[in-house]
Amino acid sequence: MGEIGESVEAVKEKVNGKAVASLVLGILSLIIPYVGLITGIIGIVLANLALKEIKVSSEGGRGLAVGGLTCSIIATVLYGILVIMLIAALGWVAIFEV
């Protein structure tokens, strides 16, 4: 056991900045209309880079990167489906225009 006056310092991990940015972009891609596809793609790229950096270094933020990757993928898929439906609807109108 340590002495009475001994202090214990908490060990702080450095959090990866790309992981934080990927989470922010992932959440924004779900919330902001029209630019969600672009921010989602950027969030996916940043999350992948963050996961690679975290694996090599001793930085923290793996959970943030995974959350950012998840939000970004969901938003990108949703906006991708929306764009495909819009193109199909425009094509449908062009074919059956009276």
Side-chain angles (χ1 to χ4, degrees):
M1 287 230 189
E3 295 179 14
I4 294 177
E6 191 175 325
S7 65
V8 179
E9 292 185 22
V11 177
K12 290 186 177 182
E13 282 188 344
K14 182 182 174 197
V15 177
N16 189 294
K18 289 182 179 108
V20 175
S22 70
L23 181 62
V24 170
L25 286 174
I27 292 170
L28 287 177
S29 65
L30 287 171
I31 296 172
I32 300 176
Y34 307 114
V35 293
L37 184 64
I38 296 167
T39 57
I41 292 170
I42 295 170
I44 290 170
V45 170
L46 284 177
N48 284 326
L49 291 173
L51 286 172
K52 288 178 185 176
E53 287 180 7
I54 290 168
K55 193 176 195 181
V56 172
S57 68
S58 62
E59 291 179 323
R62 186 178 192 294
L64 298 174
V66 171
L69 183 63
T70 304
C71 290
S72 297
I73 288 173
I74 290 171
T76 303
V77 168
L78 288 176
Y79 282 111
I81 290 171
L82 185 67
V83 167
I84 290 171
M85 289 174 51
L86 180 65
I87 292 171
L90 291 175
W92 185 267
V93 168
I95 291 173
F96 294 106
E97 188 175 9
V98 179

